[in-house]
Amino acid sequence: MTTFTPTTDPVAGSLFLSALSGILPLAVFFVLLGVFKIKTHWCAIISLLVALAVAIFGFKMPTTLALLSASQGIAFGFFPILYIIIAAVWLYNLTEKSGRSADVRAAFNVVGKGDQRAQGLLIAFSFCGLLEGLAGFGAPVAIVGAMLVTIGINPIKAALATIVGNAINVGFGAMAIPVTTAGKLGGTQPTEVAWVMGHLTPYIGAIVPLILLVILDGLRGMKQLWPAALVSGFVTALGHLWCASYFSYELTAVVASLLGFIALTAVLQVWSPKTPEDCRSTKAESINVSRAVIALLPYWLVVIVFAVAKLWTLGINIPEALASTDLKFGWPGLHGHLVNTAGEATNATLFTLQWLSSPGTLLALTAIVVTFVYASTSSNNLFPFSVKQGFSTLIATIVELRIAILTIAVVMGLAYVMNLSGQTVSIGEWMAGAGAGFAFVSPVLGWLGTAVAGSATSANALFAKLQATAAAQVHVDPNILLASNTIGGGLGKIVSPQNLAIVSGAVGQLNSEPLLLRKVGPISIGLLIILSVLTGLASFGLMPGIG
C-alpha cells in the first residue's frame, strides 16, 4: 500500500477551492438536518459518504486509507465515547427503573423549603448539571423538565429554565466526552483543554442562576432570591475552576454541581426567602434520611469511585495501575501509511484502547454496585428491585440509545476521514486568513455545530482539527480555541431543535418549540457574545490563568 501525505491545496492547487471542497461534507450534513429535517443518523451516513468521495477524488487519498480512516473513527466512537455514554445513562436509569426518582424529588422539596424558585435553582442548575455530568445526551433535559413541572412550575418556564440551566455543563457532559474528543482530535491533551475551560466557564456559570430567577419569576424572583443565586453561581463557578484544573476534568460537571447544591442547601438552612403563594411547590411525600441517601446513591457514589480511581496513591498508585492496562497500537493497515512531509508516520493513526482506566468502566462498576444495593434494600417493600432488573435496564438502555449509537459512531468516522485526508486542515488554513480576529469568532463554530447537530461531542468531532489548525496559523494556543468550541457547543444546545423538542415533550407542551426558541434565542446569543469576548481576551494573554 502506498503512503499518503495530506496537503492544503490539492484541488487545482488552490487553498480556497480545497477548503470549499473540504467543507462540503459539513454543508451537506447541516443542510440535510436543518433545511430538509432528515434524521440525524441519515445525515451523518450521507455526509460520511460525501467526505469519502471528497477525500478520494478531491484530496487524492487512496481509497483503502480513506476507508480505514473511517473505521478508526468509528472505533473511537465506540471506545471510549459510546462506552461511557451507555454506562452513564444506565447508571441514571437505575434510579428511574427502581422508582427511587420519586424520593429524589421529595428530597429537593425538603431542602428547597417548598419555594418553587429555590427548587428551580437546585433542580434546573445543580441537579441538571449533575445529570449532565453523568449521562448527558438529552436525558438531563427530559428528566429535569418533568421534575420542575411536578413541583408546580409553569411548563413553559420549566422548559426555559431547564435548557438554560443545563448549557454551561454540556461541554463537561457524560464524563466530559466533548473535552476528550476535542483533545484527541485537536492533537493536544484533554487535560489542557479542560484547564482553559475551567478558567472560562466560571464567568458564565456564575450568572446563570440569576438568569434562571428572571425566567422563573421575573424581577420579583431576582429581588427575593438574589443571595441564593449568587451563592449557587459563585460556588459552582469555583467548582468548575478547581475540578477542571486540579482534580478530574471528567468529573467537573458532577463535582461543581454537587458543591453548588450543597452551598445553596446550606444557605437555605439559615436563610428563608419570602415565598408568595403562587410560588409554593406542590407538596411532596416526606421521606427519611435513609431513603434520601439511597435514592441519591448513584450520584454520590460515582464521585467516590472516580476520586479513588483518579487520586489514590497510598500504598498502591491506582491511577497508574489502571492506566497500565491500556492497549496502545497503530491502527491496522493505516498506521505507517499516513505520513507527514518528512515521511514520518503521524501519531493520529495510533489508537488507545482503555479498559480498566476508562470512565466507562468506572461508571459500569458504580452501576453494578447500585444494582446490588437497590436489590437488597427495598425500603420496607416500597421499592422492590432485583439484580435481574438492574441488568435488564442495561439492555434496555442500549436499545433506547441504538440510534444515538449509530449516529455518534458515524459522525466520528466522518470526522476522522475529514481530518486524516486533510480536509479540515485546508478549511482551517483558509479561515485563519482572518488573522488574530479568528479567536473572537471561534466559539461560533461550536455554537453552530451543536445548534444544528444537537451534540457538543459531534461539534467537537467536526471542528476540533479545524480549530487547532487555525490556532497554529494565527499563533494562538490551540487549547483556547478548542475550549471555546466546546463551551460554545453548550451554549448552542440552548437553541438546538433536538433539545427544544426533548424539553417540550418532557413538560407536556408539544409543538412549543417556536415559542421556546424565541424566548431563549437572545439568551443563547448573549452568552455566546460573552464567550467570544472572553476567548478573544484569552488569545491575547489577558485572561488570568490562561496563556
Side-chain angles (χ1 to χ4, degrees):
M1 188 186 300
T2 58
T3 59
F4 173 72
T5 301
T7 58
T8 58
D9 58 351
V11 180
S14 167
L15 176 61
F16 172 72
L17 291 178
S18 299
L20 192 63
S21 300
I23 208 169
L24 183 61
L26 297 181
V28 169
F29 183 89
F30 292 145
V31 169
L32 290 178
L33 184 63
V35 178
F36 294 99
K37 310 300 181 185
I38 294 176
K39 297 293 184 181
T40 308
H41 60 283
W42 283 114
C43 295
I45 292 172
I46 294 171
S47 297
L48 172 58
L49 295 176
V50 173
L52 286 169
V54 171
I56 295 168
F57 299 108
F59 283 70
K60 308 300 186 291
M61 189 180 199
T63 302
T64 303
L65 294 183
L67 293 173
L68 286 172
S69 297
S71 70
Q72 184 182 350
I74 292 171
F76 180 70
F78 277 97
F79 297 99
I81 294 177
L82 286 166
Y83 180 32
I84 296 172
I85 290 174
I86 291 170
V89 177
W90 176 33
L91 178 62
Y92 165 75
N93 282 345
L94 290 174
T95 307
E96 288 292 312
K97 298 301 181 183
S98 66
R100 292 190 180 270
S101 56
D103 277 3
V104 174
R105 287 191 291 271
F108 282 114
N109 189 65
V110 172
V111 298
K113 291 189 173 180
D115 188 301
Q116 291 178 354
R117 301 160 304 173
Q119 291 181 61
L121 293 180
L122 287 167
I123 296 172
F125 189 53
S126 297
F127 188 62
C128 192
L130 177 62
L131 292 180
E132 183 66 38
L134 288 175
F137 216 64
V141 168
I143 297 156
V144 168
M147 286 179 67
L148 292 178
V149 172
T150 299
I151 64 174
I153 293 178
N154 172 276
I156 294 298
K157 290 183 178 180
L160 297 173
T162 297
I163 53 181
V164 173
N166 178 61
I168 197 62
N169 288 301
V170 168
F172 291 108
M175 293 296 145
I177 278 297
V179 182
T180 301
T181 303
K184 172 69 176 178
L185 299 186
T188 184
Q189 293 298 316
T191 51
E192 296 177 2
V193 178
W195 173 280
V196 177
M197 289 178 64
H199 286 73
L200 292 177
T201 54
Y203 294 95
I204 298 175
I207 65 174
V208 168
L210 294 170
I211 298 174
L212 295 182
L213 285 182
V214 174
I215 289 173
L216 293 170
D217 195 31
L219 294 179
R220 182 181 69 172
M222 174 82 79
K223 180 179 178 180
Q224 294 179 344
L225 280 94
W226 65 265
L230 288 180
V231 169
S232 175
F234 182 70
V235 173
T236 301
L238 287 180
H240 269 246
L241 175 63
W242 173 72
C243 197
S245 304
Y246 305 105
F247 181 51
S248 168
Y249 79 88
E250 295 96 340
L251 281 177
T252 298
V254 174
V255 171
S257 299
L258 277 175
L259 291 175
F261 183 92
I262 293 170
L264 181 52
T265 300
V267 167
L268 292 172
Q269 302 313 302
V270 298
W271 171 83
S272 297
K274 180 180 179 181
T275 307
E277 283 301 317
D278 61 335
C279 290
R280 293 193 181 279
S281 63
T282 304
K283 186 173 178 59
E285 177 191 355
S286 298
I287 61 171
N288 56 35
V289 174
S290 174
R291 280 173 55 180
V293 170
I294 294 174
L296 295 170
L297 173 65
Y299 312 115
W300 57 261
L301 181 59
V302 74
V303 175
I304 294 175
V305 170
F306 269 81
V308 171
K310 296 291 183 180
L311 299 175
W312 190 279
T313 58
L314 296 176
I316 178 175
N317 189 320
I318 292 182
E320 186 178 280
L322 294 177
S324 68
T325 65
D326 293 352
L327 299 176
K328 299 181 181 181
F329 56 91
W331 194 250
L334 186 60
H335 186 63
H337 297 280
L338 191 68
V339 299
N340 58 25
T341 53
E344 301 167 338
T346 176
N347 290 332
T349 54
L350 292 174
F351 192 88
T352 300
L353 185 61
Q354 293 178 302
W355 289 106
L356 294 182
S357 67
S358 172
T361 300
L362 302 180
L363 285 165
L365 174 62
T366 305
I368 292 171
V369 172
V370 170
T371 293
F372 279 93
V373 172
Y374 279 1
S376 62
T377 309
S378 63
S379 299
N380 296 321
N381 295 318
L382 289 173
F383 305 106
F385 194 69
S386 67
V387 173
K388 181 180 179 181
Q389 284 177 294
F391 285 98
S392 295
T393 300
L394 171 59
I395 303 301
T397 297
I398 295 174
V399 173
E400 171 191 338
L401 294 175
R402 62 190 183 281
I403 298 300
I405 291 171
L406 171 63
T407 301
I408 291 177
V410 174
V411 166
M412 294 308 303
L414 165 65
Y416 265 69
V417 171
M418 291 186 64
N419 290 344
L420 299 185
S421 67
Q423 294 175 51
T424 50
V425 174
S426 292
I427 300 169
E429 285 211 7
W430 177 70
M431 292 186 68
F438 178 78
F440 288 93
V441 300
S442 169
V444 177
L445 289 177
W447 183 90
L448 179 63
T450 306
V452 176
S455 166
T457 300
S458 296
N460 276 355
L462 295 173
F463 295 128
K465 183 66 175 180
L466 186 156
Q467 295 276 17
T469 301
Q473 293 299 310
V474 299
H475 307 293
V476 171
D477 180 358
N479 295 300
I480 294 176
L481 302 192
L482 291 170
S484 73
N485 196 84
T486 307
I487 302 169
L491 303 181
K493 194 161 186 177
I494 294 176
V495 295
S496 167
Q498 294 93 316
N499 208 36
L500 294 173
I502 290 171
V503 77
S504 64
V507 301
Q509 299 291 308
L510 297 177
N511 302 317
S512 63
E513 293 92 332
L515 172 62
L516 296 177
L517 181 59
R518 287 197 299 272
K519 290 182 175 293
V520 297
I523 297 174
S524 178
I525 293 173
L527 294 176
L528 177 64
I529 291 172
I530 293 174
L531 176 60
S532 295
V533 172
L534 293 173
T535 303
L537 293 175
S539 69
F540 288 107
L542 300 177
M543 291 292 295
I546 303 176

